[in-house]
Amino acid sequence: MKDLHLLMGALGVGLGVAILLLVRRDHLYIRHGLFWMAVALGSVVLGVWPNLVDRIGQVTGVAYPPALLLLLAIMMLIIRAVIVDIAFTRLRREVRTLNQKIALVESEVRGQMTSVAGALDQDRKADL
């Protein structure tokens, strides 16, 4: 069992280092990196203190403490999915607003180009 705990702790440290590199290279936003750093920290904590799961299970009254870990992981993923959906919705709204603004500017530019072309045609006719 000791090897499993060392492996879990090492994976948590590796995940933390990978997240820091991704944030540093600007491949991952800091807000998202904080979530994954918390996951990495949780892995390290559970790797170093594996009996912590049993203690939390006793305090919460869960008969099989590893099931508590699964429940916690599922809840974290659900929360993460909701946060991503909120961000995606906000981005779609912003894109829609920007598209509408671009359409208004294009319409205005077309109108100005039409009026300039008309003025040029009138100048040509007047010169003839």
Side-chain angles (χ1 to χ4, degrees):
M1 258 332 228
K2 187 79 169 167
D3 293 336
L4 176 64
H5 302 303
L6 289 175
L7 177 66
M8 189 167 176
L11 288 174
V13 169
L15 178 63
V17 169
I19 296 301
L20 287 175
L21 287 175
L22 288 171
V23 169
R24 184 171 177 237
R25 292 181 183 166
D26 206 24
H27 293 295
L28 186 65
Y29 288 120
I30 292 176
R31 287 180 59 193
H32 299 183
L34 290 174
F35 172 80
W36 291 113
M37 286 301 294
V39 170
L41 182 65
S43 296
V44 170
V45 166
L46 291 176
V48 173
W49 294 290
N51 294 333
L52 187 62
V53 176
D54 294 330
R55 289 183 190 153
I56 293 172
Q58 288 174 350
V59 169
T60 58
V62 175
Y64 186 62
L68 185 64
L69 277 179
L70 291 174
L71 177 64
L72 192 64
I74 290 169
M75 290 304 297
M76 286 182 68
L77 290 174
I78 289 172
I79 290 169
R80 182 72 184 142
V82 169
I83 290 170
V84 168
D85 282 347
I86 290 169
F88 182 70
T89 302
R90 186 178 324 129
L91 284 174
R92 290 207 44 158
R93 260 193 222 120
E94 289 175 5
V95 167
R96 186 180 327 124
T97 302
L98 288 173
N99 282 335
Q100 291 170 351
K101 287 180 181 180
I102 288 171
L104 288 172
V105 169
E106 285 178 347
S107 174
E108 185 177 320
V109 167
R110 279 190 203 119
Q112 289 177 356
M113 289 177 68
T114 303
S115 65
V116 168
L120 286 175
D121 284 342
Q122 288 178 358
D123 285 345
R124 282 187 205 152
K125 289 179 184 176
D127 287 340
L128 292 177

